[in-house]
Every structure is written in structure tokens, then in C-alpha cells.
Amino acid sequence: MKSFRLSTAALLVPLALLASACSGASAAGSSSNSDGKGSVVLNVGDQKGGAEALLRAAGELDDLSYRVTWSTFTSGPPLLEAVNAKAVDIGSVGNTPPVFAAGADSKITVVSATHGDSAGEAILVPKDSPLRTARDLKGKKVAVAQGSSAHFQLIASLAQAGLKLGDIQVTLLQPADALAAFTSGKVDAWAVWDPYTSQILLGGKGRVLADGRGVVNGLGFQVAAPSALADPAKAKAIGDFVERLRRAQGWVFDHPDVWAKVWAKETGLPYEVALAAVKRSNGTRIPVALDGAAIASEQKIADTFAGLGLIPRTFRFADYVDTRFNKDLPPSTTPARSYGKASS
């Protein structure tokens, strides 16, 4: 691959537009609950370069028996706020937003899961940093988005190294601000996710100190509004929508170059970065069952954040799960897809 470098300003522009399923603070767009003709309208929460772009590219928006309206959010937490408010029927998020939403007693229900490679979940340091292991983070300043999957990955990586969150200086920053702090040397490390990880690595601005492999569960979820699931017609549409997303994820794995071009166009990411992120994490996801192992893994995240006082209460994650759409999917511990050396 040819040398690929961007200025900090060039990094900030597309990534400020890009949404992760894991953190953020604002939403845009609106949804309607009826088309006035009696047909089912499924209100879907999305992120830039997310479900709509994926389903369209994979040809999975053809021949729908219901109408879909899309609302675009910056990330998972505000999307789940909309689910709680019944403004959105279903949307995709990472492994941590449902924990924070449930901890706040939001009305949400997890209805499907995927398992992906966690290599994109990384603690990054500048290329010339003297830090070599997570143990070296003691006393250092680390940027992370609160309530994100990276937040839990940071906590888990520290624990694996014999450290606690209190052993480091946590700087809570959303990705655009964290990127600026990282590239200007105001923080010693940055806990983040793909495509930010790929952006930093390909831009030559950092290296991986530790990643999420063997540390985090690599799960992502579709989360629905309980009121939508209680409506038989909407529940049927949700089941169909989930199946289309599952097929589309298989299409991504088989067509990484095509999807990377679409993703790059949708988000403003350079194609090289999009392709690297697809092969490192985005394209590796495999649909899996919402089973006991998945629930136990999420319960561990919930208990961890509750123990740290970062969510207001303890709760049973199983109370926020509906397994009706599991069908014959493999266990949640099924290995993620892999592109071999390209994904390492």
C-alpha cells in the first residue's frame, strides 16, 4: 500500500462526521409512526455509513412489505434515548450503550447480536511513546469517551495489567476532541475504536499499546422499543429487518472492497482507512444468538460500571433481552470472521 498520511485537520473533518455505535451526544432527523394508509412503518435509528448504506449496498432494501423511515444519530447513546422515547423502533449499537441505557431504567430491548473481531478496540499511543504495555499507563493521562465500548476496554485492559481506573488520569473526551488532544500531545494515550484506530495507524500518528482481543466481548446489538415489539405487525417487520441485516453482514465480508468504497463515500473517510477498518473489524462481524454467554458477558460490563459508580444502579441484563429472533444462529462465542493477515 502506498504511503498514507494526513494532517490533523484532515483527520478531524471526516471523523467528526463519523458515528460509532458506542459514544456521542446528539441526534438529527425525525421519524413518523404511520404513513396514513394503514401500512407498517418501521422507524429505524441509524448512523452515518450505517444500516441504511449497508442494506442498500447489499440489495437488501428491495421488496419490503413495510416502509422504513430513517433517523440519523451521532452514536449509540442518543439513539437509545430515542428508542426509550418511542421515536425509534430499532437501531444498531455497540456492547456498552445498552448497559448505560438499562442502568438509567430506559425502556429498551436487545433483540439480536453480532460478534466481531475486537482488534479495532485499541489503546493508542504516539509512535515515539516510551509506553510499551498497559502497565505503563500508571499515572498517565488517557482520553476515552464515557460510556463507550472503549471505556470498558480501557478498564478491562488496566485490570489485566493489575491496575485500576484510579491509577491513571482519565480524560473524558468525545472522539473529535480526543483526536485533537492525542495528536497535539495533550494526552499520553487514547482508548478508541475503529475506524479511528485505522485512521491513526494508517496516518502514521500512533501505534497500538493494547487491543480488545481476549479482553472485551466483541458484541454489537440491535435494540428495539418494547412498544414496537408488542405490536404484532411491527414485531414482524423487526424480524424481517434483522434478517436482512444478517444477510447484509455476510455480503460485507464477501465484498470488502465494494463496501469500503460505499462506507468511504458515506462518511468522508479515505478509502484506504475504510478498507483497513473493514478488514480489521467492520467486516468480521458474524450474526450470533442472544444466549446465556452473551447475557453473562454484558452482565459483567454492567456490574463493572455499577461498581465504579458510573451507572446509577445494578440490574439484570437478561431483563432487557428478547430472544425470539435467535432462530438457529450459532452461539455468541462463535469466532468472528477473519480476512487472515489483512485483519491483524
Side-chain angles (χ1 to χ4, degrees):
M1 181 179 293
K2 64 183 180 180
S3 176
F4 177 76
R5 293 182 180 273
L6 288 177
S7 66
T8 300
L11 283 164
L12 282 168
V13 173
L15 289 180
L17 296 174
L18 186 68
S20 162
C22 303
S23 69
S26 63
S30 60
S31 305
S32 62
N33 291 313
S34 172
D35 62 4
K37 299 179 181 179
S39 60
V40 176
V41 179
L42 192 64
N43 302 306
V44 179
D46 199 17
Q47 300 175 39
K48 189 176 290 291
E52 182 178 13
L54 171 59
L55 291 169
R56 197 173 302 284
E60 289 290 348
L61 288 182
D62 301 330
D63 303 320
L64 293 175
S65 60
Y66 49 92
R67 186 164 65 85
V68 176
T69 63
W70 303 92
S71 298
T72 304
F73 297 81
T74 59
S75 60
L79 190 159
L80 292 188
E81 290 175 11
V83 171
N84 178 57
K86 302 180 184 179
V88 164
D89 296 319
I90 188 170
S92 304
V93 298
N95 64 358
T96 304
V99 166
F100 273 73
D105 203 22
S106 295
K107 294 179 176 61
I108 62 162
T109 302
V110 178
V111 295
S112 74
T114 59
H115 181 220
D117 194 324
S118 298
E121 298 274 353
I123 301 173
L124 303 172
V125 294
K127 290 194 74 171
D128 59 354
S129 171
L131 307 183
R132 295 295 166 186
T133 71
R135 180 75 184 174
D136 298 330
L137 291 171
K138 187 173 183 178
K140 302 301 182 182
K141 187 176 292 187
V142 184
V144 67
Q146 183 165 353
S148 67
S149 59
H151 200 169
F152 181 73
Q153 191 253 331
L154 173 61
I155 293 168
S157 294
L158 290 172
Q160 194 175 63
L163 299 176
K164 298 179 181 179
L165 204 57
D167 291 324
I168 66 172
Q169 299 179 57
V170 178
T171 302
L172 298 175
L173 294 173
Q174 292 302 312
D177 292 332
L179 175 61
F182 180 81
T183 55
S184 65
K186 293 181 179 178
V187 296
D188 299 297
W190 181 20
V192 73
W193 53 88
D194 249 339
Y196 297 96
T197 298
S198 294
Q199 186 97 2
I200 289 294
L201 297 180
L202 283 186
K205 296 187 176 295
R207 57 181 171 80
V208 174
L209 184 74
D211 66 32
R213 286 175 167 171
V215 178
V216 297
N217 61 23
L219 296 175
F221 300 107
Q222 289 293 315
V223 181
S227 57
L229 291 168
D231 179 329
K234 280 209 171 185
K236 182 178 179 180
I238 287 171
D240 179 76
F241 183 79
V242 165
E243 282 298 312
R244 289 172 185 268
L245 280 173
R246 289 168 177 165
R247 292 195 298 266
Q249 191 62 53
W251 176 88
V252 166
F253 181 73
D254 293 334
H255 302 86
D257 298 343
V258 179
W259 171 236
K261 290 177 182 176
V262 174
W263 199 20
K265 182 178 180 181
E266 289 286 328
T267 60
L269 282 169
Y271 167 74
E272 294 92 338
V273 171
L275 182 60
V278 168
K279 292 188 174 182
R280 180 176 284 108
S281 55
N282 181 273
T284 68
R285 297 171 189 156
I286 182 171
V288 294
L290 276 171
D291 55 16
I295 293 170
S297 181
E298 289 295 300
Q299 187 67 55
K300 179 181 178 181
I301 296 175
D303 292 344
T304 297
F305 280 112
L308 291 169
L310 296 175
I311 57 176
R313 69 187 183 103
T314 57
F315 63 92
R316 291 181 69 251
F317 191 80
D319 293 341
Y320 293 84
V321 173
D322 186 330
T323 61
R324 77 176 79 174
F325 305 114
N326 270 352
K327 296 191 174 180
D328 57 352
L329 289 173
S332 62
T333 53
T334 301
R337 295 175 169 121
S338 174
Y339 292 96
K341 292 183 179 180
S343 63
S344 62

